[in-house]
Amino acid sequence: MRRMLVGLFILVGASGCIWDILGGVCQYADTTGTATIVAVDTAPTGELNCANDAVKVLFDFVPTDAASSELGAESVQLTIGEGYNPSREWVEGSGIAVGSQLACTRRDMVRGSCTPTLYEFSELDTEAAVASCNGSSSNGFSISVIPSQVEDAVVGQRCVFLVTVDEGDDGGGGDVTVVASADDAEVIVESGEIRAGEVCEVTIIPSYVGEISEDPYDEDYSYGRGYPIDVTIMGERNGVQQSASAEVNLLSGEDTVEEEAAGYRDRFVEWLAENHTELGITEETEWTPTIVAPHILIVTHYLFFSDEWEMGLTWHVMIPPYDWARIYLRHRYDSTVPQYAYEISSLQAEPVEVPHEYDVPEEVDR
């Protein structure tokens, strides 16, 4: 780690009072103190900025010794290299945020013709700051897609793929912009600017109108091979692009159970609204419906999407007491797996059964 100096520039130097900075050998007087970060904002376009998502950082300096209070300063700009606003990646990785405090030394020139005032942060890594600014530690990423294939889909079904960013050893900062394309389908990208730990949803709605030639004996497809819809998902950051592929296997058929599924959903929603208010699900919550795996028999699968939640619903088409229904809930845009699950043990039981907690599945239903 190298010491960091803030003034007109942040410079790399060894500890000591004699400096060769912008104008020959100079001598500085030191004042120790604390720097409190007061602003971290997107850098204005007209300033000298790192290419990698630059931010403008301001801090207030307060001397440790009250007798030196006149050397306090407000809204000092923290820059790196030759006066650049640093990258958001480096700032966040260094724990720099509004309200955070850093040990700081103010250095005032007493001899020579160098930078008049500098601020030294011994705990900050200048080499990493400059590397991040140059983009050398910001572009090492890949994207992952869950699932890689939807094996059983029909025209009009919403096939929802979950896209995440994986940072490489030289990665770690800045938004990745996600776009997607697919022939014979409507494509919807939601939350298309993501970082590690966030989730983008790519929805493919097949609209193919031609004849579907199906091969029910293809061993690579659980429900037979139909018309393939190839999906390309692209992530881009700072001119670097990464891509991933997925497929929708389109079969003949249609959704005939939406009304039934909505009725079972509402039984869970009524109970959740009363017993789990922390989830924010009420009877006024609006849901976007879609069937899932329409060719599975006995157990029917359905998905509902609110602004915040994905609800996966399954129910067992049997006589009591084996006519159960279950849901899971996945928090959209920050998780790829469910967090909660509930069951109604029998849909037709008398007296009417209420939901109870159930084992949370390890993956989403697609």
Side-chain angles (χ1 to χ4, degrees):
M1 180 178 295
R2 306 296 294 273
R3 290 174 178 255
M4 171 161 287
L5 298 171
V6 178
L8 296 176
F9 306 87
I10 291 182
L11 303 169
V12 179
S15 177
C17 295
I18 304 298
W19 298 85
D20 185 9
I21 304 172
L22 299 181
V25 176
C26 297
Q27 186 173 359
Y28 283 80
D30 294 348
T31 302
T32 59
T34 300
T36 300
I37 306 300
V38 296
V40 179
D41 300 309
T42 300
T45 55
E47 296 191 2
L48 196 58
N49 297 321
C50 287
N52 178 22
D53 192 14
V55 292
K56 186 171 184 176
V57 180
L58 302 177
F59 65 89
D60 291 346
F61 174 75
V62 177
T64 302
D65 188 350
S68 302
S69 59
E70 73 279 1
L71 295 177
E74 296 182 352
S75 298
V76 182
Q77 187 171 354
L78 189 156
T79 59
I80 66 172
E82 297 181 353
Y84 286 84
N85 284 316
S87 72
R88 189 183 303 274
E89 169 200 355
W90 176 79
V91 167
E92 293 181 352
S94 300
I96 299 173
V98 173
S100 61
Q101 294 185 327
L102 299 169
C104 180
T105 299
R106 171 170 172 155
R107 312 187 72 96
D108 290 291
M109 187 183 64
V110 295
R111 184 173 66 85
S113 57
C114 303
T115 306
T117 301
L118 302 167
Y119 293 85
E120 180 182 273
F121 294 85
S122 60
E123 298 175 353
L124 297 181
D125 189 339
T126 57
E127 292 180 350
V130 173
S132 174
C133 186
N134 293 335
S136 62
S137 65
S138 63
N139 294 331
F141 74 95
S142 60
I143 58 173
S144 298
V145 179
I146 301 173
S148 60
Q149 180 187 64
V150 173
E151 287 193 44
D152 183 10
V154 295
V155 169
Q157 177 178 329
R158 301 175 70 89
C159 304
V160 181
F161 295 90
L162 307 181
V163 183
T164 59
V165 171
D166 304 304
E167 296 289 359
D169 293 338
D170 63 340
D175 289 341
V176 172
T177 300
V178 178
V179 296
S181 61
D183 293 333
D184 301 307
E186 178 184 357
V187 180
I188 303 171
V189 178
E190 297 179 87
S191 186
E193 300 280 341
I194 59 171
R195 302 183 179 201
E198 299 175 341
V199 178
C200 167
E201 293 184 359
V202 173
T203 299
I204 305 298
I205 306 176
S207 57
Y208 179 69
V209 295
E211 182 179 353
I212 300 176
S213 178
E214 299 178 5
D215 179 3
Y217 303 107
D218 193 314
E219 296 180 355
D220 293 331
Y221 294 83
S222 301
Y223 311 101
R225 183 174 185 176
Y227 180 80
I229 295 179
D230 295 321
V231 183
T232 300
I233 299 173
M234 184 78 69
E236 188 276 334
R237 181 172 68 195
N238 298 329
V240 175
Q241 295 182 336
Q242 301 288 350
S243 64
S245 300
E247 183 191 69
V248 174
N249 184 45
L250 187 63
L251 302 171
S252 58
E254 59 182 340
D255 180 357
T256 61
V257 295
E258 179 181 344
E259 184 176 354
E260 183 179 5
Y264 298 145
R265 175 204 67 201
D266 290 346
R267 289 183 61 173
F268 285 99
V269 167
E270 182 180 2
W271 180 80
L272 290 170
E274 182 176 347
N275 294 275
H276 287 280
T277 56
E278 73 279 4
L279 300 179
I281 295 174
T282 71
E283 295 177 32
E284 285 71 46
T285 300
E286 296 183 357
W287 300 91
T288 299
T290 188
I291 195 168
V292 183
H295 295 93
I296 291 182
L297 302 177
I298 307 300
V299 176
T300 306
H301 296 244
Y302 219 88
L303 289 178
F304 294 94
F305 294 87
S306 71
D307 288 341
E308 187 176 0
W309 295 100
E310 170 187 324
M311 177 190 291
L313 168 68
T314 54
W315 67 94
H316 200 206
V317 185
M318 294 288 284
I319 62 173
Y322 307 107
D323 56 334
W324 50 259
R326 296 167 186 158
I327 65 167
Y328 70 72
L329 294 172
R330 175 186 69 88
H331 201 246
R332 301 175 70 185
Y333 311 126
D334 61 15
S335 179
T336 60
V337 296
Q339 288 78 51
Y340 307 97
Y342 306 96
E343 180 191 68
I344 298 174
S345 297
S346 175
L347 292 167
Q348 302 175 68
E350 293 293 345
V352 174
E353 292 226 6
V354 297
H356 57 83
E357 292 187 3
Y358 195 72
D359 296 335
V360 180
E362 295 182 356
E363 57 186 22
V364 294
D365 196 3
R366 292 295 185 269

